[in-house]
């Protein structure tokens, strides 16, 4: 309530990035009131007027320092995530993008938001760390595969 009136909760839009390198994906451990200490993809809120690709590139740069051309970003899927987790129930429409690490790219992920993340690292898709942030965990358990070809097919 604000000034005696109830504020209607509204869904927010988040854009997250499956940044892929070989058979690995970039994940960071969250420092947040929601999903604290879980592993999550880089990403954040869509800003007014921004495309999904622009948001993905911006968030990746802000959080990790990595520069990825928006032409290398691809829409994978969209999920509708409603959580009653306390202290902050939430409703997010989450846009999952894929960015593929270019061979020979020598950039290293940096932790540019240490109050929000403990750091970034590459994790093999077949051996992901636990616990995963619940929207990502739900996708993994459903069999979702962010790779253009199954990692097993590339061996």
């Amino acid at each position: 309530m604000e000034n005696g009136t109830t504020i209607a909760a509204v869904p927010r839009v988040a854009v997250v990035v499956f940044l892929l390198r070989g058979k690995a994906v970039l994940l960071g451990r969250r420092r947040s009131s929601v999903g604290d200490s879980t592993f999550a993809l880089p990403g954040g809120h869509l800003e007014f007027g921004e495309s999904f690709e622009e948001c993905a590139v911006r968030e990746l740069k802000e959080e990790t320092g990595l520069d990825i051309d928006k032409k290398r970003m691809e829409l994978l899927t969209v999920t509708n995530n409603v959580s009653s987790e306390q202290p902050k129930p939430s409703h997010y429409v989450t846009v999952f993008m894929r960015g593929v690490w270019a061979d020979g790219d020598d950039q290293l992920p940096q932790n540019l938001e240490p109050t929000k993340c403990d750091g970034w690292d590459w994790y093999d898709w077949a051996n992901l760390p636990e616990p995963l942030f619940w929207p990502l965990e739900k996708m993994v358990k459903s069999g979702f595969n962010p790779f253009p070809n199954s990692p097993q097919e590339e061996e």
Side-chain angles (χ1 to χ4, degrees):
M1 295 191 71
E2 187 173 300
N3 298 331
T5 60
T6 302
I7 298 173
V10 296
R12 307 270 324 255
V13 178
V15 176
V16 298
V17 181
F18 279 103
L19 185 59
L20 309 179
R21 184 180 79 177
K23 298 176 187 179
V25 62
L26 186 67
L27 298 174
R29 189 183 287 261
R30 292 173 60 91
R31 297 183 69 186
S32 171
S33 61
V34 176
D36 189 51
S37 296
T38 60
F39 289 89
L41 301 165
H45 294 110
L46 182 70
E47 293 182 357
F48 184 82
E50 214 173 23
S51 71
F52 298 152
E53 294 82 4
E54 290 165 341
C55 181
V57 167
R58 176 183 54 78
E59 286 290 345
L60 197 60
K61 177 73 172 174
E62 287 176 4
E63 295 181 7
T64 71
L66 298 174
D67 283 309
I68 302 291
D69 187 319
K70 75 177 185 177
K71 293 176 188 164
R72 291 174 45 202
M73 287 292 173
E74 176 184 4
L75 175 65
L76 286 180
T77 191
V78 177
T79 62
N80 188 34
N81 304 294
V82 180
S83 170
S84 57
E85 182 180 325
Q86 297 300 323
K88 266 169 111 172
S90 62
H91 182 177
Y92 274 91
V93 173
T94 305
V95 178
F96 288 86
M97 303 294 290
R98 173 173 52 216
V100 178
W101 194 255
D103 288 338
D105 196 333
D106 60 356
Q107 298 179 81
L108 296 174
Q110 305 166 57
N111 189 13
L112 298 181
E113 296 181 333
T115 61
K116 297 179 180 180
C117 179
D118 284 334
W120 300 99
D121 208 348
W122 297 99
Y123 294 92
D124 186 85
W125 184 251
N127 190 28
L128 293 173
E130 292 183 358
L132 295 174
F133 188 44
W134 70 270
L136 178 57
E137 178 183 44
K138 186 176 172 185
M139 291 184 72
V140 169
K141 285 184 175 180
S142 77
F144 182 82
N145 184 345
F147 291 84
N149 297 308
S150 169
Q152 291 75 28
E153 291 175 11
E154 295 175 7
E155 294 181 336

